[in-house]
Every structure is written in C-alpha cells, then in structure tokens.
Amino acid sequence: MPVNQKAFEALKAALGPAQVALVAVSKTKPATEIRELYDLGQLDFGENYVQELVSKQPLLPSEIRWHFIGHLQSNKVKFIAPFVHLIHGVDSSKLLREIDKQAQKAGRIIRCLLQVHIATEESKFGFDEEELSLMMQELQNNQSVLSHVKVCGLMGMASFSNDEALVRKEFSHLKSIFDRYANEEFNILSMGMSGDYRIAISEGSNMVRIGSLLFGSR
Ligand SMILES: *Cc1c(COP(=O)(O)O)cnc(C)c1O
C-alpha cells in the first residue's frame, strides 16, 4: 500500500505551527515505503523491533533519525547503540545503565525518554509516579556515572479506548508529571498515536508517534 501523502501533508500542516514533532512509525513496513515518505521530507521514523530496525537501517539514507519506540531488552541495546537517535521506552534503571554502557562503547551520547505507565490497562510498560521519582533522583545523583545517556523527557501511551474522557485524563496526568521535571534539557513529551494524537496535543504533547494514519493498517 502506498504512503498516504494527503494524510502526511495534513498532519504536517497541523503539527508544524504547533511545534509538535512527528515520528512516522514504520514498523512492519518495507524500506521502499519508508523511502517514499522520506522523499516527501520526513526524517524521523519510529520502529518497535530491534531485528527489523537493524535490517532496514542500512537500506535507507543515513540522514534518517531512527527512534526506538518499542519495549527494549537490555541484551539488544548493543545492536542499535551505534545509530539510534532517541529511545522512547526506557522503563528501568538497569536498561538505562546498559544504554549508557553501549553508548560509551559506540563513542556516543544516546538521548532517551523515560516511559511512564498512565493507562488503566495492565499490559503497558513504564514507571509509575513513585518509581519515576526515584529514577529522577538516581539520575541527579549519578550524573557523572551515566555520562553517555541524556534523558530528555517522558513518553506514555493512553488506554486503547474509545472513551475520550479517559484518554484525555491519562494524557493530562502525564503532562502534569512532565511539568514537575521539565526544563531546557528535559523538554520532550512523547504522547499520541494515530487514534488519539489530537487529544494528546491538546493536552500538551510535543512529539507524536503516528503509524497507521500514514502507512495504512498493519
Ligand atoms: C505502533 C506504535 C505507535 C503507532 O501506532 P498507530 O496507531 O499505528 O499510529 C505509536 N507508539 C508506539 C509505542 C507503538 O508501538
């Protein structure tokens, strides 16, 4: 299926003035379709699976900024450390330490977002508020140790639900948590997908991750 150019232009027109960054989620889509969207001017792409990302990345322009948005296992960090632009789903101190280690090996500083669990569903990964507070404390205290990661904000997923009030409440909650820590360096709030990005933006998101709207259903 070809990329939905109309949807892409409409999204850009809506997000640009609001200064909301667009990550095009290309999981399960072939390199040819990613290339199509790149040719329309898109540079940020998001992938969920390490194997898939590692196999597609060499086929595409090096200018592309690859976002890892899936659940990342510590033992796979080394495969994406040499090139990944932003890791959205950091949900443990152990994972952050491994990213730091692999970033050091690759001679890079890797930018990360901490994932916060905001949905009512059990299945979504992420820190709860208490754990996040401890993680932020740990970062404060270990700045010199964790010198190859840069934690620049938060990521969250709302419940997969048609209940707009619920979704809005969850995004609004994440925004209020983000505001506690936000500063010049900690300034990315990644929330919103194809089905709920409008709500996310109205609740303060500044980065949306959009797949099916651009590439069609998976
Ligand atoms: C798949 C995925 C998206 C994109 O979902 P769409 O509904 O296709 O826009 C966004 N974020 C994460 C974490 C995902 O896994």
Side-chain angles (χ1 to χ4, degrees):
M1 202 149 68
V3 161
N4 187 337
Q5 180 168 358
K6 247 191 176 154
F8 176 61
E9 300 298 345
L11 261 177
K12 276 206 309 186
L15 303 183
Q19 308 242 36
V20 176
L22 171 63
V23 177
V25 176
S26 48
K27 62 181 175 219
T28 78
K29 300 298 174 183
T32 48
E33 288 186 28
I34 299 173
R35 177 80 209 199
E36 230 182 290
L37 200 54
Y38 167 84
D39 287 339
L40 294 173
Q42 179 65 18
L43 289 178
D44 291 272
F45 289 88
E47 290 279 340
N48 285 55
Y49 309 102
V50 169
Q51 276 322 315
E52 188 183 340
L53 173 52
V54 166
S55 64
K56 286 194 272 193
Q57 185 264 346
L59 307 175
L60 286 153
S62 58
E63 196 194 354
I64 286 182
R65 299 187 288 251
W66 292 103
H67 296 242
F68 194 82
I69 64 169
H71 182 64
L72 183 56
Q73 289 170 284
S74 294
N75 62 353
K76 297 202 172 149
V77 173
K78 57 177 174 285
F79 300 116
I80 61 171
F83 65 87
V84 71
H85 176 70
L86 180 65
I87 298 177
H88 289 232
V90 176
D91 61 357
S92 74
S93 161
K94 176 181 170 238
L95 177 58
L96 193 67
R97 285 166 188 281
E98 178 62 17
I99 296 170
D100 183 72
K101 182 177 148 191
Q102 297 300 336
Q104 185 156 16
K105 275 193 190 170
R108 306 182 63 213
I109 290 175
I110 297 183
R111 297 161 73 247
C112 297
L113 305 179
L114 302 178
Q115 184 168 359
V116 184
H117 183 279
I118 52 168
T120 45
E121 290 143 37
E122 280 288 325
S123 62
K124 304 247 158 89
F125 296 102
F127 294 103
D128 64 26
E129 276 184 73
E130 176 84 25
E131 293 163 342
L132 179 69
S133 161
L134 291 171
M135 184 74 240
M136 293 302 291
Q137 202 86 71
E138 186 184 331
L139 278 170
Q140 276 292 317
N141 300 337
N142 292 282
Q143 271 172 349
S144 55
V145 185
L146 293 168
S147 55
H148 290 77
V149 284
K150 186 165 180 244
V151 175
C152 22
L154 300 179
M155 178 269 215
M157 291 168 82
S159 295
F160 189 71
S161 164
N162 288 325
D163 182 348
E164 185 176 326
L166 173 69
V167 170
R168 186 174 292 283
K169 196 179 90 189
E170 291 170 354
F171 283 146
S172 157
H173 182 213
L174 181 56
K175 173 66 160 69
S176 73
I177 298 171
F178 173 72
D179 285 341
R180 280 179 220 153
Y181 303 107
N183 60 38
E184 248 169 56
E185 311 255 278
F186 193 96
N187 57 10
I188 299 178
L189 179 56
S190 166
M191 60 182 196
M193 318 188 351
S194 293
D196 58 20
Y197 76 92
R198 285 190 183 84
I199 306 173
I201 291 169
S202 74
E203 294 302 328
S205 167
N206 59 23
M207 183 175 280
V208 293
R209 309 174 308 271
I210 300 207
S212 43
L213 201 59
L214 294 168
F215 292 103
S217 60
R218 289 179 293 271

